[in-house]
Amino acid sequence: MGYRIPEETIEAIRRSVDIVDVISEYVQLKKQGRNYFGLCPFHGEKTPSFSVSPEKQIFHCFGCGAGGNAFTFLMDIEGIPFVEAAKRLAAKAGIDLSAYQLNVRGHDDGKAGEAKVMIEAHTLLKRFYHHLLVYTKEGQAALDYLQARGWTKETIDRFEIGYAPDAPDAAAKLLDSHSFSLPMLEKAGLVTKKEDGRYVDRFRNRIMFPILDHRGETVGFSGRLLGEGQPKYVNSPETPIFRKGMLLYHFHEARVPIRKRQEALLFEGFADVISAVQAGIDYAVATMGTSLTEEQARILRRHAETVTICYDGDNAGMEAAWRAAEQLSALGCRVKVASIPNGLDPDEYIRVYGKDRFVGEIAAAQPLMAFKMNHLRRGKNLQHEGDRLRYIEEVLREIGKLPSPVEKDYYVRQLADEFSLSLSALNEQLSRYKQETSKPRETSANEKTSRPTLTKKLLPAFHNAERLLLAHMMRSRDVALFVQERVGGRFNIEEHRALAAYIYAFYEEGHEADVGALMIRLPDELQSLASELSLLLVTDDVSEQELADYIKHVLNHPKWLMLKEKEQEKIEAERRKDFLTAARIAKEMIEMKKMLSSS
């Protein structure tokens, strides 16, 4: 029995499925000319920039840069590994993969094998805990507690909530009897080793909330103590399969509703999500009891245009909501904040006031700026002149961060009306803050600067030449061989150099031009570039002269850079009054320019 899918089988799957059919299950596509267009599922947009080519069997978004083939699309939209995407596409194509022993994580090395065993151990333990809760006298007190707080049997089953018995080694014995290695279980965070060498359970006398990753696999637990005592919650530690900063609770179930609504409802805790889902809100997710991480924020941004934050109503909850809102807003999310009254958390509010009133609170969520204005009022007496001026100054600084001129004008007018201030005075103060923040800041040599995924600007001639060469190379074996002989690996941009290497290798393996087949062989970081270049409008018949012109730009670029360096050396020599050296450099520059003009 084989352990990986042969290349010819992958190729058969690719040729047997139509990418338009695959993507149409997630995106409404409309044909325009030779391609299909729709709204990109990977970022929020109102004007379709997501293109699907049935001819090349690829997709590309001109808004966010996402691109690839049918395999890539399924992997990105469902958060699944390559093997799982291949299995789903094979099922559509009617291709049997039962002859291959496939690891769902797409690897067959030792680490992947260990991860697989860890997941199996967590899954078995989840079922054990759930059975104890629902079907045994031992779990009755925990079940009564959950039902008393308003959770139905259906909800408990849906989230597979369980109960860890008050015994030192119930889980350890169960897993050991199923031939799981106890040292491996310790590494997985399920048991701990005592000084005398005995292994005991991490979770005892606790209501157990399984934590599933974005593929729906059980990778951890959060256990709430039944009764009084400390700590109230014990969570799985960081393990090879559980990175809490990379996961959102309930995301595997909420992904599709979030995409459909283009909105996510973000909570802080598991109980809030469970109560919200029982109340009919299926697009709810939560962080893992910590502040929103950058990766969690990016996951939300990839799937939703709007994020409504619903944290606890106390001061700590509102401060956390502010920080989360800033992160999401910086990534381009439209952020709203639902403020829960009376200092309650969302779960408590639903239990006290009912689901209908809670749904109303979510519907009445404030725009981010309105939330900030209300939050900045806290702790200030606006009848006091000092507090009032401080409040106006703080609000103006936040207004200055807004990207929309209309929003800025709206909130400035609101501030003017509330405090009987002139618009001109407020706008003048706003301009001063803008000047302060727009001053250039010195950056260290090691500081990394971020850039947007796609930049809409004119590219240098050599950059355009490299892109066009690669586009033609993907369409023609002969062009690729022509470029390989004259340019080889001397592309100036690292990404282009890497893609060229893959194209050369593709043809050396004996393949004919086929963008879809090439895409399967590309690493993730090159797929977006390849899909974008393959959709460039270039002629199929390109002349040798045109190719020679492109190659000239590519090969001459380092020489132009050298010429610029010489220019700087000449200026430095003149500054030192070393005119002899400056004259020598000037002569070298003349010779270099002659060579460049004649080449």
Side-chain angles (χ1 to χ4, degrees):
M1 182 176 281
Y3 283 86
R4 59 190 296 274
I5 308 172
E7 188 174 314
E8 58 268 23
T9 305
I10 293 171
E11 183 63 16
I13 295 170
R14 187 186 70 82
R15 291 186 178 279
S16 299
V17 295
D18 185 352
I19 193 171
V20 176
D21 292 338
V22 174
I23 293 179
S24 291
E25 294 181 15
Y26 301 86
V27 180
Q28 188 175 353
L29 296 174
K30 185 177 180 181
K31 191 169 187 183
Q32 294 180 18
R34 297 163 70 177
N35 294 341
Y36 289 79
F37 287 85
L39 296 175
C40 179
F42 301 113
H43 81 289
E45 63 177 8
K46 295 179 181 178
T47 304
S49 63
F50 183 81
S51 173
V52 183
S53 169
E55 180 185 346
K56 299 182 177 71
Q57 289 293 298
I58 62 169
F59 73 91
H60 184 80
C61 176
F62 293 95
C64 70
N69 54 25
F71 294 89
T72 314
F73 181 83
L74 273 186
M75 290 164 68
D76 288 346
I77 203 162
E78 292 288 356
I80 57 177
F82 176 82
V83 169
E84 181 61 29
K87 287 166 69 177
R88 294 192 190 186
L89 292 174
K92 283 179 178 292
I95 294 174
D96 183 16
L97 297 182
S98 60
Y100 311 108
Q101 191 179 72
L102 302 176
N103 182 317
V104 296
R105 290 189 164 244
H107 304 283
D108 55 9
D109 58 16
K111 287 186 177 179
E114 182 183 66
K116 185 172 183 286
V117 173
M118 286 182 178
I119 289 170
E120 289 170 355
H122 277 80
T123 303
L124 175 61
L125 206 51
K126 174 184 68 176
R127 292 171 183 160
F128 171 65
Y129 288 150
H130 184 65
H131 177 82
L132 285 179
L133 174 74
V134 177
Y135 298 109
T136 70
K137 289 183 179 179
E138 202 170 2
Q140 189 62 50
L143 184 62
D144 291 342
Y145 168 81
L146 293 173
Q147 291 180 329
R149 68 182 295 165
W151 291 345
T152 65
K153 173 68 164 54
E154 290 75 19
T155 297
I156 292 167
D157 287 342
R158 178 173 182 173
F159 286 90
E160 300 177 282
I161 302 170
Y163 171 69
D166 192 9
D169 55 1
K173 285 180 177 177
L174 171 75
L175 294 168
D176 186 43
S177 70
H178 283 76
S179 302
F180 286 100
S181 157
L182 288 171
M184 185 277 296
L185 295 177
E186 182 184 22
K187 189 175 179 181
L190 296 175
V191 301
T192 57
K193 189 177 182 180
K194 305 290 283 185
E195 290 182 3
D196 60 7
R198 290 183 303 116
Y199 287 93
V200 297
D201 297 354
R202 173 178 290 273
F203 303 101
R204 293 172 53 184
N205 192 32
R206 292 182 180 274
I207 295 169
M208 300 298 289
F209 298 92
I211 300 170
L212 279 59
D213 67 13
H214 296 172
R215 289 178 288 269
E217 295 172 328
T218 308
V219 294
F221 291 99
S222 180
R224 186 196 188 282
L225 186 65
L226 186 63
E228 299 301 318
Q230 291 296 329
K232 186 177 180 181
Y233 281 94
V234 169
N235 301 317
S236 290
E238 298 277 306
T239 71
I241 62 171
F242 178 53
R243 297 282 186 268
K244 62 185 176 182
M246 307 288 284
L247 298 177
L248 289 162
Y249 182 71
H250 188 244
F251 184 77
H252 72 290
E253 292 283 354
R255 180 193 280 111
V256 173
I258 287 171
R259 283 193 182 281
K260 286 181 179 177
R261 292 178 62 96
Q262 274 298 295
E263 180 178 3
L265 181 58
L266 177 64
F267 293 106
E268 281 186 292
F270 308 132
D272 300 330
V273 170
I274 295 168
S275 293
V277 171
Q278 184 169 280
I281 300 172
D282 58 358
Y283 58 103
V285 295
T287 55
M288 297 287 164
T290 58
S291 298
L292 183 74
T293 66
E294 183 179 351
E295 179 58 29
Q296 289 167 336
R298 290 188 184 281
I299 291 167
L300 289 170
R301 181 65 189 96
R302 284 198 296 268
H303 292 79
E305 183 177 353
T306 301
V307 177
T308 300
I309 299 171
C310 186
Y311 284 3
D312 295 358
D314 57 13
N315 280 333
M318 291 299 96
E319 291 289 346
W322 182 299
R323 291 192 299 271
E326 292 279 73
Q327 276 189 288
L328 291 162
S329 183
L331 291 174
C333 284
R334 177 172 171 259
V335 181
K336 297 189 292 183
V337 181
S339 300
I340 302 300
N342 306 325
L344 299 175
D345 63 41
D347 173 48
E348 290 171 332
Y349 189 87
I350 293 170
R351 277 187 279 136
V352 173
Y353 296 106
K355 68 177 185 180
D356 292 339
R357 192 158 162 184
F358 178 73
V359 170
E361 294 288 354
I362 298 303
Q366 300 173 308
L368 178 55
M369 190 62 223
F371 160 74
K372 285 183 173 182
M373 291 173 76
N374 284 334
H375 187 63
L376 289 170
R377 287 176 180 271
R378 292 191 174 203
K380 293 185 180 73
N381 177 6
L382 297 187
Q383 302 303 313
H384 187 275
E385 183 179 341
D387 280 5
R388 189 163 63 248
L389 287 172
R390 186 156 61 93
Y391 170 75
I392 293 167
E393 182 178 308
E394 289 172 351
V395 170
L396 275 175
R397 288 188 182 277
E398 293 302 323
I399 292 173
K401 298 176 185 177
L402 294 172
S404 165
V406 173
E407 270 192 287
K408 284 182 181 177
D409 185 69
Y410 175 83
Y411 288 111
V412 168
R413 288 178 184 276
Q414 188 173 312
L415 206 58
D417 290 343
E418 182 178 1
F419 295 102
S420 301
L421 298 168
S422 73
L423 281 173
S424 59
L426 291 175
N427 282 319
E428 183 181 346
Q429 187 69 16
L430 203 59
S431 297
R432 289 181 183 177
Y433 293 148
K434 187 177 180 181
Q435 288 171 6
E436 287 176 15
T437 56
S438 63
K439 286 179 182 177
R441 182 176 62 89
E442 289 186 8
T443 56
S444 66
N446 295 325
E447 186 175 355
K448 293 181 181 178
T449 55
S450 61
R451 59 178 178 83
T453 306
L454 290 180
T455 53
K456 308 293 183 183
K457 64 179 183 181
L458 251 105
L459 298 171
F462 83 92
H463 194 147
N464 261 328
E466 292 189 358
R467 285 167 57 86
L468 289 166
L469 279 177
L470 290 165
H472 283 296
M473 288 163 64
M474 285 191 284
R475 286 167 168 78
S476 168
R477 178 190 180 94
D478 291 339
V479 170
L481 293 174
F482 183 85
V483 175
Q484 187 174 14
E485 288 175 6
R486 289 156 179 79
V487 179
R490 287 177 289 172
F491 283 81
N492 295 283
I493 295 170
E494 185 178 353
E495 208 177 15
H496 294 172
R497 199 157 52 243
L499 179 55
Y502 275 97
I503 295 171
Y504 298 152
F506 178 73
Y507 290 125
E508 284 169 3
E509 290 170 5
H511 300 288
E512 293 302 320
D514 185 334
V515 173
L518 171 66
M519 294 286 278
I520 290 177
R521 291 158 176 80
L522 296 179
D524 292 347
E525 59 270 21
L526 291 179
Q527 297 225 355
S528 175
L529 172 67
S531 62
E532 181 189 359
L533 295 182
S534 71
L535 293 175
L536 288 179
L537 297 175
V538 296
T539 57
D540 290 333
D541 295 323
V542 58
S543 67
E544 280 197 21
Q545 182 57 52
E546 188 177 345
L547 290 175
D549 286 342
Y550 296 149
I551 290 170
K552 177 181 174 181
H553 281 298
V554 173
L555 298 181
N556 280 351
H557 180 64
K559 298 171 186 175
W560 284 111
L561 291 179
M562 194 181 300
L563 193 62
K564 286 182 180 179
E565 288 177 9
K566 289 287 183 185
E567 177 67 30
Q568 289 302 314
E569 289 176 19
K570 176 173 165 288
I571 292 170
E572 180 61 25
E574 289 171 345
R575 188 186 66 78
R576 298 193 311 265
K577 301 188 184 304
D578 184 356
F579 300 112
L580 191 62
T581 300
R584 177 180 56 77
I585 294 172
K587 186 177 179 182
E588 289 174 3
M589 289 173 63
I590 291 169
E591 291 302 316
M592 289 175 68
K593 285 177 182 178
K594 283 181 182 178
M595 288 175 61
L596 283 169
S597 60
S598 62
S599 64

